[in-house]
Amino acid sequence: MASLHTEPLITLENIHLTRHGKRLLDDVSLLVMPRQIVTLIGPNGAGKTTLVRVVLGLLQPDGGRVQRAGDLRVGYVPQRFVVPANLPMDVDGFLLLSGAGDARQRQQVLVDNGAGDLVRSPLRALSGGEMQRVLLARAMLRQPDLLVLDEPAQGLDVQGQEAFYALIARLRDTTGCGVLLVSHDLHLVMAATDEVICLERHVCCVGRPEDVGVHPEYRRLFGRDLAGLAVYRHHHDHHHDLHGNIVPDKGPEAAAGGQRDE
């Protein structure tokens, strides 16, 4: 079911948060609209996960304003999920614990996330990429208006990350949800991202990925810029090699302007 919201899903204005005498967030503002993908990037300790917890309502800021759309449904994919080695549960049982959806809906959401054949697989036997797709399926069972993902592709190789981010973009397109995504590599999320917020406890720079990628603050934090990297969006006429480099397609599909799933 597509999201019915047209107003901002989440608005944060001038957020301040201090814990144990340390300023974690300093005058941070953020806005996510329906059908928009906003990506938070920044070095370790920049406050990205802290900001996500404020968005989720798990942390209350010391100052500033947090406003959520009425009846906002949020789906969340954590940074990591450790399955106990002795947990006798399959994927369908794990999805059942979410309390959302019937058996048909659980199967369909797995299919939509490219994990339809995993429904009876033991949870502890899943690979990293399979587990991330199952976690994403569990979040999508809630039919969220806002999907929040904290480093969801951590531990995946370059190709796996690109495929996962392409999946997120497709889910946004088909459901109309907004997406707040935390990532450590702007290059890998450029295809899916509408806006980037570069964070170092405060907002260093904000804008389109191609603009942030050449911003002096981005170069200061990451020691490089993306000026020489192609920016690509949605309809692809290329694939990526093992190093994440763009390689143009030369087959009939590219000539016809078709889309290549990554």
Side-chain angles (χ1 to χ4, degrees):
M1 182 177 71
S3 174
L4 300 179
H5 285 279
T6 57
E7 72 274 24
L9 300 173
I10 182 78
T11 304
L12 274 59
E13 293 183 349
N14 310 117
I15 297 299
H16 295 269
L17 191 146
T18 300
R19 290 292 184 271
H20 309 295
K22 181 179 181 181
R23 181 60 63 91
L24 302 181
L25 297 173
D26 187 6
D27 197 27
V28 174
S29 296
L30 175 148
L31 174 74
V32 182
M33 296 293 296
R35 295 186 174 275
Q36 183 186 32
I37 298 179
V38 176
T39 297
L40 292 174
I41 63 170
N44 291 336
K48 302 187 297 295
T49 296
T50 299
L51 187 59
V52 164
R53 289 172 177 165
V54 172
V55 169
L56 295 174
L58 301 176
L59 281 177
Q60 295 301 315
D62 301 319
R65 183 175 74 96
V66 178
Q67 182 174 336
R68 298 176 178 85
D71 301 320
L72 182 69
R73 295 190 304 271
V74 179
Y76 174 58
V77 178
Q79 187 176 108
R80 58 180 62 86
F81 183 82
V82 179
V83 180
N86 59 350
L87 183 66
M89 180 180 291
D90 63 15
V91 167
D92 188 60
F94 178 65
L95 296 183
L96 183 62
L97 289 178
S98 70
D102 55 25
R104 181 192 61 80
Q105 291 169 319
R106 295 195 300 273
Q107 176 64 52
Q108 185 59 51
V109 78
L110 285 171
V111 171
D112 293 342
N113 286 273
D117 59 341
L118 299 177
V119 63
R120 295 300 174 191
S121 297
L123 206 60
R124 61 178 180 268
L126 299 181
S127 68
E130 291 170 340
M131 188 72 236
Q132 288 307 99
R133 287 177 182 262
V134 169
L135 290 172
L136 182 57
R138 187 174 185 269
M140 295 305 296
L141 262 179
R142 296 177 53 84
Q143 299 180 342
D145 306 300
L146 175 64
L147 180 62
V148 180
L149 307 105
D150 189 358
E151 295 274 12
Q154 191 176 54
L156 304 182
D157 61 20
V158 169
Q159 290 179 319
Q161 290 184 55
E162 289 181 345
F164 191 81
Y165 292 136
L167 171 59
I168 292 168
R170 288 197 297 272
L171 290 173
R172 182 276 308 271
D173 292 341
T174 57
T175 68
C177 69
V179 179
L180 178 62
L181 171 67
V182 176
S183 178
H184 65 279
D185 194 322
L186 178 56
H187 177 214
L188 290 173
V189 298
M190 285 181 81
T193 300
D194 299 308
E195 182 173 85
V196 175
I197 298 174
C198 189
L199 196 68
E200 192 184 25
R201 300 189 183 91
H202 65 282
V203 175
C204 297
C205 51
V206 59
R208 297 178 303 175
E210 53 266 37
D211 296 330
V212 169
V214 295
H215 194 282
E217 285 295 297
Y218 178 86
R219 295 201 299 268
R220 178 180 67 82
L221 291 173
F222 293 96
R224 60 173 177 147
D225 64 54
L226 301 180
L229 298 176
V231 177
Y232 54 92
R233 294 184 184 276
H234 302 302
H235 294 286
H236 296 174
D237 56 359
H238 61 269
H239 63 283
H240 298 263
D241 63 21
L242 292 175
H243 304 288
N245 299 312
I246 295 173
V247 180
D249 289 329
K250 299 181 180 180
E253 178 184 345
Q259 180 173 336
R260 180 189 180 100
D261 290 331
E262 304 223 12

